[in-house]
Amino acid sequence: MMESKFSVIESKLDDFVRKFYSNRIVVGVLLLLLVAAISLFSVFMIESFAFMSPFVKTILFYFLLFVFAAIFVFFIGVPLCKLLKIVPYISYEEAAGIISEYFSDSNDMILNVIQLNRGESNDFLVAAINQKIDKISPWNFTHAINFHKTLKFLYVSGGILMFLLLMSYFFRTKMSSGATRFMNYSVYYQPDNPYSVRVLNDSLTCASGDDFTVLLEVNGPSSPQDVFLNTSVFKARMNVDSANHYSYTFRNLTADVDFSFGYLGYQTDDFKVSVFQKPQVLGVTVSVTPPAYTNIKSDEFENTGDFTVPFGSQISWKFDVSNCHGFNFIADTARVESQIDENKIVTNKRAMKSFDYRYDAEGENGYKYTSNVFHVNIVPDYHPQIMVVSAVDSTTSNAMFFSGHIADDYGFHSLSFNYFDSKTPQDVKTQPIDVAQSLSQDFYFYFDFNNLPKSVSYYFEVRDNDAVSGFKSSKTPISVYTTITNEEKQERVNNLNTSISDKVDQAKRILNELSNDLNDFQKSISSNDKISDWEKQLKLNNLMEKQNRLEQLMQELSKENLSKNSFENQISPEMSEDLLEKQRQLQELWDNLLTDDIKELLDKINEMKNSLNEKNLRDNISDLKFDFDQINEQLERNNELMKMYNVDKKMQNLSQDLDKLAEEYRELSEKIKDEKSDVDEKKGDKSDKMQIKTTRITLINPTKTTQISLTKIMQTSLTKMLKIRIRKAIKQILT
């Protein structure tokens, strides 16, 4: 069987396809370079003069990028993939058609050979194919590719590129600035601006929710009439504050704002106001704990600035804050430490006086929130009050009754009676007085000044329960009490005895007068000569006046005797039981001079003054005369009994004095005896010690001179002293 020569045609066709796509790739590269150079040169030059907006530049940038990508894909990428047989490429039939167009006399022989080669193989068909191949084989299929056109395009493209390179070189400044601005398509560039702008704000920061005013200064050939502030959302005309100075206020900023300025066709670079979160005090809780002694419960206040608390209260402020990096609490002018725990701040202070306070919350960027000035009013714990009234105990000497009143805000710690010798004020003695729990109360106190110095100073002191201030106290003025000595008491006893005797005499005279008046009145109402009711009334009034005076004297006698007894008991605390019993009985006699029957009878006469019934008057007057006679007799008896009691009392005092003198005499005798024994022992000593001379007193007698020892003289003097005291006591008894 004859061999086919189709492999020769097939090899020529493959070479054609390779060169065909290589030519396409070269043309694509030249086209891409030419289009890119022309478009970029044009855009850069236009931008260097036109200063396109970012919007236009962005659209143009992505359009050119799309064009370049499309040229690369269709004119370079696709042929390259076909050349590498990555994607389907032209078939032999298509290649034969392109070649047949170039060789006009081929009469599609290449296509016929390809088709015949695909038929059933036989010698006749192979011979026909080989015959046609022999005619075709001298042809160079690559001549069908228009390399001359490609070369011409290369020359034109190269010339254009060289021209553009030369133009870029000569206008390199424009090209550079245009290229830079175009490539930064999102950035706005403006022509050279003869004006300069300056933002006058120290800082372009603002707290969230605050207003922010932008201050602008524009300097240039003239003052722009209109200056606009541009943001991505709006464009606003700025206020003209003065020549070249403009302002605009952003209201209630909550987010960052980018803005620029526009004027006379010029546009500035972008500026930015940065918004930060400002510190906030979301709430305040005030806890007040009064001192325990006030018995006031703790309390809390929500979001309260001014308030009133008791003195010494512990105050705690609890602040809920946000965006806070620092906190200052200022009380008056002093800073109070605060405890910061995340968004909780606690400040504690003890309220010892009224004060003003404020607080500062510090945030980022040095922003400070300052509160108003608030006031805490302190209710002071006043000093306790004390008032005392004193009265002398009339039943005894050197004793006083005290009644007083104390008051305080919250209660008392102590009440005391304090006294000291006026000569030694530093030695103060204290006697506590019980107090109740009430805030206002009366108290009573009795004090006996006996057995104390002559002059005693005293005062009362009350302390409140204010432990915070150390129990504040109030004192009464210092008073001085001068005690009565036994000699003064004895003098008062003597005076009281005299006064009692005088009053007994007065009472007896009044009784005699009453008795005479009653006789006269009884005769006047019994005689035939009738007296008028008016005269009766006068006589009765006179009787009642004397009766009142008599009753008063009786009471005074009883009181004076009681006072005398008290003084006597203080002078002689060792009084015998017999004398004490006599003293008590005598007091009862003085107390019962006016019996209840006599008082009742006098009251009846007093009631009968209006009726003036003669019969009743006569009967009552008769009874009164009898009773008054009894009172007179009783006065006499009491007076005599009192004298006898006084004699007994003086006798007891004399006996006590004699006992004391005897004791003194005994002690002195023993002392003299001891001294005499010592002298005799010294005389019997044979040493050269000094001899003791017995002092002698020479008494001159007409007949002889007697020497009496010192011992005898002392004994005689003591005996004389004893006799003098006895005489003095007897004289007091007799008087």
Side-chain angles (χ1 to χ4, degrees), residues 408-549:
D408 188 62
D409 310 84
Y410 304 109
F412 305 98
H413 176 262
S414 64
L415 173 64
S416 63
F417 176 79
N418 307 274
Y419 60 95
F420 56 88
D421 188 346
S422 299
K423 297 179 180 178
T424 57
Q426 70 278 4
D427 186 15
V428 179
K429 295 181 177 59
T430 299
Q431 186 168 336
I433 303 173
D434 293 336
V435 291
Q437 295 299 321
S438 60
L439 304 182
S440 179
Q441 57 186 285
D442 296 324
F443 69 92
Y444 302 93
F445 183 69
Y446 177 83
F447 190 75
D448 188 354
F449 289 90
N450 285 302
N451 303 321
L452 292 179
K454 176 69 175 177
S455 178
V456 178
S457 298
Y458 66 90
Y459 61 91
F460 287 86
E461 181 178 22
V462 61
R463 292 182 177 273
D464 65 9
N465 59 354
D466 181 5
V468 176
S469 301
F471 306 114
K472 301 186 300 297
S473 67
S474 294
K475 301 177 182 179
T476 60
I478 296 178
S479 301
V480 178
Y481 184 87
T482 302
T483 59
I484 304 173
T485 63
N486 285 338
E487 290 75 12
E488 292 172 336
K489 292 177 184 178
Q490 185 60 53
E491 183 178 354
R492 291 195 179 187
V493 169
N494 296 335
N495 292 335
L496 286 171
N497 281 327
T498 303
S499 176
I500 290 173
S501 297
D502 293 341
K503 284 183 170 54
V504 168
D505 293 339
Q506 294 179 34
K508 290 169 67 177
R509 285 196 298 272
I510 293 175
L511 284 170
N512 291 330
E513 292 176 2
L514 281 171
S515 180
N516 295 331
D517 292 343
L518 286 173
N519 288 328
D520 293 341
F521 186 66
Q522 190 175 22
K523 290 178 181 179
S524 64
I525 61 176
S526 300
S527 63
N528 295 327
D529 298 332
K530 299 294 184 180
I531 61 173
S532 64
D533 292 341
W534 179 74
E535 290 177 321
K536 293 178 183 178
Q537 189 76 34
L538 287 178
K539 290 181 179 291
L540 284 175
N541 288 338
N542 185 42
L543 288 173
M544 294 308 299
E545 287 179 3
K546 291 180 179 180
Q547 175 265 329
N548 290 334
R549 175 58 183 154

Side-chain angles (χ1 to χ4, degrees), residues 82-99:
K82 290 182 177 181
L83 177 63
L84 299 176
K85 297 181 181 180
I86 298 173
V87 297
Y89 52 91
I90 61 174
S91 64
Y92 287 162
E93 288 82 357
E94 292 173 338
I98 295 172
I99 296 171

Side-chain angles (χ1 to χ4, degrees), residues 316-468:
S316 177
W317 288 266
K318 298 177 182 178
F319 300 92
D320 292 327
V321 299
S322 64
N323 307 310
C324 184
H325 300 281
F327 192 84
N328 293 313
F329 188 95
I330 311 298
D332 285 338
T333 58
R335 184 177 182 273
V336 181
E337 287 294 330
S338 300
Q339 302 172 6
I340 302 177
D341 182 13
E342 294 184 353
N343 292 327
K344 300 289 185 181
I345 297 175
V346 178
T347 301
N348 298 307
K349 179 176 173 59
R350 185 173 292 279
M352 305 302 288
K353 64 176 183 177
S354 299
F355 62 92
D356 296 326
Y357 74 93
R358 63 178 175 83
Y359 47 86
D360 302 329
E362 297 180 359
E364 58 180 312
N365 296 325
Y367 185 89
K368 182 183 291 185
Y369 165 79
T370 301
S371 70
N372 295 327
V373 177
F374 301 107
H375 182 73
V376 176
N377 184 48
I378 303 302
V379 177
D381 185 353
Y382 294 102
H383 281 67
Q385 299 176 359
I386 181 169
M387 181 183 65
V388 177
V389 176
S390 62
V392 177
D393 185 0
S394 60
T395 62
T396 183
S397 63
N398 296 334
M400 294 187 72
F401 288 106
F402 298 94
S403 63
H405 181 80
I406 54 175
D408 188 62
D409 310 84
Y410 304 109
F412 305 98
H413 176 262
S414 64
L415 173 64
S416 63
F417 176 79
N418 307 274
Y419 60 95
F420 56 88
D421 188 346
S422 299
K423 297 179 180 178
T424 57
Q426 70 278 4
D427 186 15
V428 179
K429 295 181 177 59
T430 299
Q431 186 168 336
I433 303 173
D434 293 336
V435 291
Q437 295 299 321
S438 60
L439 304 182
S440 179
Q441 57 186 285
D442 296 324
F443 69 92
Y444 302 93
F445 183 69
Y446 177 83
F447 190 75
D448 188 354
F449 289 90
N450 285 302
N451 303 321
L452 292 179
K454 176 69 175 177
S455 178
V456 178
S457 298
Y458 66 90
Y459 61 91
F460 287 86
E461 181 178 22
V462 61
R463 292 182 177 273
D464 65 9
N465 59 354
D466 181 5
V468 176

Side-chain angles (χ1 to χ4, degrees), residues 246-309:
Y246 307 86
S247 66
Y248 179 79
T249 300
F250 292 99
R251 302 291 182 184
N252 193 24
L253 283 177
T254 56
D256 295 350
V257 178
D258 294 319
F259 63 94
S260 62
F261 303 104
Y263 53 91
L264 301 177
Y266 297 103
Q267 193 75 18
T268 66
D269 296 332
D270 281 348
F271 297 87
K272 183 178 183 178
V273 175
S274 299
V275 177
F276 59 87
Q277 296 299 317
K278 61 183 177 181
Q280 291 181 315
V281 178
L282 305 177
V284 183
T285 301
V286 182
S287 300
V288 178
T289 305
Y293 74 87
T294 63
N295 295 320
I296 299 176
K297 294 182 179 180
S298 300
D299 201 358
E300 280 192 354
F301 311 101
E302 295 289 341
N303 300 318
T304 298
D306 300 329
F307 52 90
T308 299
V309 298

